mmCIF file of all heavy atoms in Angstrom:
data_model
loop_
_atom_site.group_PDB
_atom_site.id
_atom_site.type_symbol
_atom_site.label_atom_id
_atom_site.label_comp_id
_atom_site.label_asym_id
_atom_site.label_seq_id
_atom_site.Cartn_x
_atom_site.Cartn_y
_atom_site.Cartn_z
ATOM 1 N N PRO M 263 56.477 31.198 31.813
ATOM 2 C CA PRO M 263 55.332 31.168 30.899
ATOM 3 C C PRO M 263 55.510 30.086 29.839
ATOM 4 O O PRO M 263 56.507 30.067 29.122
ATOM 5 C CB PRO M 263 55.312 32.561 30.294
ATOM 6 C CG PRO M 263 56.726 33.039 30.372
ATOM 7 C CD PRO M 263 57.353 32.344 31.563
ATOM 8 N N SER M 264 54.558 29.197 29.766
ATOM 9 C CA SER M 264 54.704 28.019 28.913
ATOM 10 C C SER M 264 54.810 28.369 27.432
ATOM 11 O O SER M 264 55.575 27.729 26.709
ATOM 12 C CB SER M 264 53.570 27.028 29.167
ATOM 13 O OG SER M 264 52.323 27.609 28.884
ATOM 14 N N ALA M 265 54.065 29.373 26.960
ATOM 15 C CA ALA M 265 54.143 29.737 25.541
ATOM 16 C C ALA M 265 55.534 30.254 25.190
ATOM 17 O O ALA M 265 56.070 29.956 24.117
ATOM 18 C CB ALA M 265 53.080 30.775 25.201
ATOM 19 N N GLU M 266 56.158 30.995 26.101
ATOM 20 C CA GLU M 266 57.505 31.513 25.865
ATOM 21 C C GLU M 266 58.526 30.371 25.825
ATOM 22 O O GLU M 266 59.423 30.343 24.974
ATOM 23 C CB GLU M 266 57.892 32.512 26.954
ATOM 24 C CG GLU M 266 59.262 33.119 26.767
ATOM 25 C CD GLU M 266 59.609 34.097 27.879
ATOM 26 O OE1 GLU M 266 58.713 34.803 28.380
ATOM 27 O OE2 GLU M 266 60.803 34.138 28.251
ATOM 28 N N ILE M 267 58.392 29.423 26.740
ATOM 29 C CA ILE M 267 59.303 28.276 26.767
ATOM 30 C C ILE M 267 59.128 27.451 25.495
ATOM 31 O O ILE M 267 60.111 27.067 24.849
ATOM 32 C CB ILE M 267 59.074 27.420 28.027
ATOM 33 C CG1 ILE M 267 59.407 28.219 29.292
ATOM 34 C CG2 ILE M 267 59.897 26.130 27.959
ATOM 35 C CD1 ILE M 267 58.932 27.574 30.591
ATOM 36 N N ALA M 268 57.887 27.191 25.100
ATOM 37 C CA ALA M 268 57.626 26.408 23.880
ATOM 38 C C ALA M 268 58.183 27.118 22.654
ATOM 39 O O ALA M 268 58.755 26.474 21.761
ATOM 40 C CB ALA M 268 56.132 26.148 23.729
ATOM 41 N N ALA M 269 58.052 28.440 22.591
ATOM 42 C CA ALA M 269 58.596 29.203 21.460
ATOM 43 C C ALA M 269 60.121 29.138 21.437
ATOM 44 O O ALA M 269 60.736 29.019 20.372
ATOM 45 C CB ALA M 269 58.122 30.651 21.534
ATOM 46 N N TRP M 270 60.745 29.194 22.620
ATOM 47 C CA TRP M 270 62.210 29.120 22.720
ATOM 48 C C TRP M 270 62.706 27.774 22.203
ATOM 49 O O TRP M 270 63.631 27.709 21.403
ATOM 50 C CB TRP M 270 62.636 29.352 24.170
ATOM 51 C CG TRP M 270 64.112 29.483 24.385
ATOM 52 C CD1 TRP M 270 64.852 30.633 24.352
ATOM 53 C CD2 TRP M 270 65.042 28.426 24.682
ATOM 54 N NE1 TRP M 270 66.176 30.349 24.609
ATOM 55 C CE2 TRP M 270 66.317 29.002 24.814
ATOM 56 C CE3 TRP M 270 64.913 27.052 24.854
ATOM 57 C CZ2 TRP M 270 67.461 28.265 25.100
ATOM 58 C CZ3 TRP M 270 66.051 26.300 25.134
ATOM 59 C CH2 TRP M 270 67.314 26.908 25.265
ATOM 60 N N VAL M 271 62.069 26.689 22.659
ATOM 61 C CA VAL M 271 62.456 25.351 22.201
ATOM 62 C C VAL M 271 62.185 25.220 20.706
ATOM 63 O O VAL M 271 63.053 24.777 19.942
ATOM 64 C CB VAL M 271 61.706 24.248 22.993
ATOM 65 C CG1 VAL M 271 61.955 22.872 22.380
ATOM 66 C CG2 VAL M 271 62.106 24.265 24.460
ATOM 67 N N GLY M 272 61.012 25.616 20.280
ATOM 68 C CA GLY M 272 60.628 25.494 18.873
ATOM 69 C C GLY M 272 61.557 26.233 17.923
ATOM 70 O O GLY M 272 61.899 25.720 16.854
ATOM 71 N N ALA M 273 61.984 27.425 18.316
ATOM 72 C CA ALA M 273 62.895 28.205 17.480
ATOM 73 C C ALA M 273 64.234 27.495 17.302
ATOM 74 O O ALA M 273 64.875 27.603 16.255
ATOM 75 C CB ALA M 273 63.114 29.589 18.093
ATOM 76 N N ARG M 274 64.650 26.762 18.301
ATOM 77 C CA ARG M 274 65.947 26.079 18.240
ATOM 78 C C ARG M 274 65.901 24.751 17.493
ATOM 79 O O ARG M 274 66.905 24.325 16.948
ATOM 80 C CB ARG M 274 66.502 25.889 19.646
ATOM 81 C CG ARG M 274 67.158 27.181 20.122
ATOM 82 C CD ARG M 274 67.197 27.320 21.615
ATOM 83 N NE ARG M 274 67.812 28.594 21.983
ATOM 84 C CZ ARG M 274 67.205 29.773 21.927
ATOM 85 N NH1 ARG M 274 65.956 29.844 21.507
ATOM 86 N NH2 ARG M 274 67.825 30.872 22.276
ATOM 87 N N ILE M 275 64.741 24.107 17.477
ATOM 88 C CA ILE M 275 64.679 22.808 16.782
ATOM 89 C C ILE M 275 63.857 22.869 15.495
ATOM 90 O O ILE M 275 63.721 21.870 14.804
ATOM 91 C CB ILE M 275 64.166 21.683 17.714
ATOM 92 C CG1 ILE M 275 62.718 21.907 18.134
ATOM 93 C CG2 ILE M 275 65.077 21.532 18.925
ATOM 94 C CD1 ILE M 275 62.110 20.731 18.896
#
Side-chain angles (χ1 to χ4, degrees):
S264 61
E266 181 181 325
I267 296 167
W270 188 90
V271 172
R274 279 155 181 77
I275 65 172

